[in-house]
Amino acid sequence: MSGENSSADDVQADGVQQVWDVVVVGAGPAGASAAYAAAVAGRRVLLLEKAELPRYKTCGGGIIGPSRDALPPGFELPLKDRVHAVTFSNNGRFTRTRRSKQMMFGLINRPEFDQQLVEHAQKAGAELRTGAAVQRVEQHGSAVPDRRTVAVVLQGGETLLARAVVGADGSASRIGAHVGVKVDQVDLGLEAEIPVPETVAEDWKGRVLIDWGPMPGSYGWVFPKGDTLTVGVISARGEGAATKRYLEDFVARLGLAGFEPSISSGHLTRCRADDSPLSRGRVLVCGDAAGLLEPWTREGISFALRSGRLAGEWAVRIAEAHDAVDTRRQALNYAFAIKAGLGVEMSVGKRMLAAFERRPGLFHAALTGFRPAWRAFKEITQGRTTLGELMRSHPLAQRALTAFDPRPAATENTPAEDTADEDAVTS
C-alpha cells in the first residue's frame, strides 16, 4: 500500500518530472471508485484529497441496491442498521408504516464508508495524498510539456502532471468549473446527527421515516444508526429560512428537540443540466462534480460510485490516447456510457420531482395505499430495478407519471456537445 501524504516523488532520478497516468481529485465515493478502477487496470494513479481522512460529510448515508452492486469486490459495508420498514408521513400527518421481509437498504456513516473505499483504491495500487487542495488544471501553457499532458496545480504552487484527470471534488468542484459543468437544479440539505438514549434508538431500529415537506419538492428523513439518529430535510435553494424552520419543526414533532445534536450541517446539491459537458480534453468529471444525482430524492452515493467507476475506466483509455482525435473519441464514449444509464434515470427523476412538487398528497397515498407503488419503491431500493427500467417495462407506471406530469420526457443532447476543444483552458 502506498504511503499516505507521500510527496509522490514527482521528480525522477534523471531530473525529469514524472507523469501520472491518472490523477483523481477528491477522495469521496466517486473519486475513490475512479482511482480503484484505474489502479485495477494497472495504471499509476494518484488520488488527491484536500481534507484529512476520515472526514464528516453531510449525507443521510443510505446505501441502496445500485450502490451495493457498484462496490469493489470484497468490500464489506460498515452498516449501522438494516432497513426493513419505512414510515411515511405527509408534513407530519397521515402517518403509515410499510414493511418488507427483505432488507430494502442499509445505513452507513460516511467517514467510515469513504475511508474504506479509499483503502480499497490504495490496495489496488493507487497512491493517496491528503491535505492537497487543487487550485486549477491547465491543458496547455508553460506548465504543460506536451499535448498529451494535463497540469494539476495545487494551492501553494506545486504542479503535478497526468495523462488524464478525473474531477470528483464535490458539488463546488474546481474541476467542474474547468470542464464547464452547468446545473439546472440546486437544493439545500440541512442535517443533524442526534445521539439518543437506548430506549429511543430501539424504537427506530430497522425503520426509517420519510416525511413529505411543506415546501414544493421538499422532504425530511430520519435514518437510525445505532445510538444516533441522522435527521435531515431538503428543499430548493432560495428557501433557506423555511428549510431551517422545517427542520426545527420536524425535530420537535418527533420528540427529539430535547437532545443536543453532535453535528449540525448544511450542504448544497446540484443536478446537471441535460446539455452539461462531462469532459474537456483529457479531463473528465463524475459524481457531484458532474452534477450527477437523482433529482427527486437527491440520492447521490449510487451515482457517485457508478459514474466514478466509469470515469476511472475511461480515464485509462484517455491516458493511452496519442492525439486529440482519440482523446475526443474516448471522452464521447464516456459520455455515452453515463447518459445511457444514469442520464436516463435522471431524466425520469426530473419528471418525478415535477410531479411530486405539484401533488405530494397523491404520492403519499400511492406509496402508503397502492401495493404496486410500494412494490416499485422496494424493488428500486433493493436494486432489482431502476426508475428508468420501471418506466420502460411497466406501462402502468408510464401512464401514472404522464397523469402526474404530462410533459414529454427530456431528451439528452448528443454527446458530441460534451467535449470542448482540447486546447481550451480556464484560468
Side-chain angles (χ1 to χ4, degrees):
M1 184 186 300
S2 301
E4 193 171 307
N5 287 323
S6 162
S7 66
D9 194 23
D10 285 318
V11 179
Q12 299 174 4
D14 58 6
V16 177
Q17 186 174 4
Q18 78 170 9
V19 180
W20 295 91
D21 292 321
V22 179
V23 168
V24 180
V25 183
S33 296
Y36 175 85
V40 161
R43 299 305 181 267
R44 299 187 66 254
V45 180
L46 179 61
L47 176 59
L48 301 175
E49 168 59 44
K50 66 181 179 181
E52 299 298 331
L53 299 176
R55 80 283 186 261
Y56 180 79
K57 285 286 185 180
T58 305
C59 177
I63 301 295
I64 59 176
S67 299
R68 181 197 62 231
D69 295 342
L71 293 168
F75 189 98
E76 293 188 15
L77 279 164
L79 293 181
K80 295 299 181 183
D81 207 342
R82 292 168 167 81
V83 176
H84 286 82
V86 181
T87 298
F88 295 99
S89 60
N90 188 3
N91 200 19
R93 300 174 299 160
F94 312 115
T95 301
R96 183 173 181 186
T97 299
R98 305 297 304 260
R99 301 184 186 277
S100 170
K101 291 180 180 178
Q102 292 180 302
M103 183 180 89
M104 286 181 285
F105 55 96
L107 300 174
I108 52 92
N109 285 326
R110 280 288 301 278
E112 297 171 69
F113 178 68
D114 290 12
Q115 179 72 41
Q116 255 181 252
L117 285 170
V118 168
E119 288 172 0
H120 272 258
Q122 288 179 286
K123 288 173 184 176
E127 183 166 328
L128 171 68
R129 284 186 66 181
T130 57
V134 172
Q135 187 177 76
R136 66 185 186 277
V137 293
E138 297 178 1
Q139 299 200 59
H140 74 29
S142 59
V144 183
D146 58 60
R147 295 173 67 88
R148 289 188 60 212
T149 307
V150 181
V152 180
V153 183
L154 305 184
Q155 285 183 3
E158 182 184 356
T159 298
L160 306 170
L161 301 179
R163 297 295 182 208
V165 171
V166 175
D169 49 335
S171 61
S173 168
R174 287 183 179 271
I175 312 303
H178 172 79
V179 166
V181 171
K182 296 183 288 184
V183 299
D184 62 7
Q185 176 186 329
V186 183
D187 295 288
L188 171 64
L190 300 177
E191 193 168 76
E193 303 285 350
I194 305 178
V196 293
E198 186 177 345
T199 51
V200 176
E202 190 62 30
D203 182 55
W204 285 97
K205 188 175 181 180
R207 176 176 66 95
V208 302
L209 169 65
I210 296 176
D211 177 72
W212 314 119
M215 296 89 73
S218 67
Y219 75 95
W221 63 88
V222 179
F223 285 0
K225 299 170 185 175
D227 60 0
T228 298
L229 300 179
T230 297
V231 182
V233 300
I234 195 163
S235 66
R237 183 178 64 173
E239 297 282 349
T243 305
K244 184 179 180 182
R245 189 163 55 249
Y246 176 30
L247 178 60
E248 292 170 349
D249 293 346
F250 187 43
V251 169
R253 186 196 310 150
L254 294 166
L256 301 173
F259 303 115
E260 187 69 25
S262 59
I263 299 174
S264 295
S265 62
H267 178 65
L268 291 177
T269 64
R270 295 175 170 90
C271 279
R272 69 186 292 272
D274 289 339
D275 62 345
S276 179
L278 290 160
S279 65
R280 183 176 191 167
R282 290 178 173 267
V283 179
L284 306 177
V285 285
C286 59
D288 285 343
L292 291 167
L293 71 157
E294 200 282 294
W296 177 34
T297 63
R298 291 80 154 186
E299 189 278 322
I301 294 177
S302 76
F303 280 70
L305 292 168
R306 290 180 285 174
S307 65
R309 186 187 70 241
L310 291 170
E313 291 170 353
W314 259 277
V316 168
R317 296 178 174 95
I318 287 174
E320 295 169 346
H322 288 284
D323 56 38
V325 173
D326 195 19
T327 299
R328 184 183 296 271
R329 182 185 303 115
Q330 300 306 335
L332 289 174
N333 287 338
Y334 171 64
F336 272 122
I338 291 291
K339 291 186 173 186
L342 300 180
V344 171
E345 291 179 39
M346 288 188 72
S347 180
V348 176
K350 286 179 181 179
R351 295 187 69 201
M352 292 286 285
L353 176 62
F356 171 65
E357 287 174 337
R358 284 197 288 274
R359 307 295 294 273
L362 279 179
F363 271 74
H364 180 70
L367 282 168
T368 56
F370 185 49
R371 186 170 295 176
W374 168 243
R375 188 184 306 122
F377 179 90
K378 287 194 300 180
E379 290 180 351
I380 289 171
T381 58
Q382 290 168 341
R384 287 189 270 165
T385 188
T386 66
L387 272 175
E389 290 169 355
L390 191 71
M391 290 301 148
R392 281 196 299 269
S393 58
H394 290 72
L396 180 61
Q398 294 175 16
R399 290 199 297 272
L401 183 56
T402 300
F404 277 117
D405 178 32
R407 297 174 305 168
T411 56
E412 295 281 355
N413 283 11
T414 59
E417 296 179 9
D418 273 347
T419 43
D421 184 79
E422 187 183 32
D423 293 332
V425 185
T426 58
S427 58

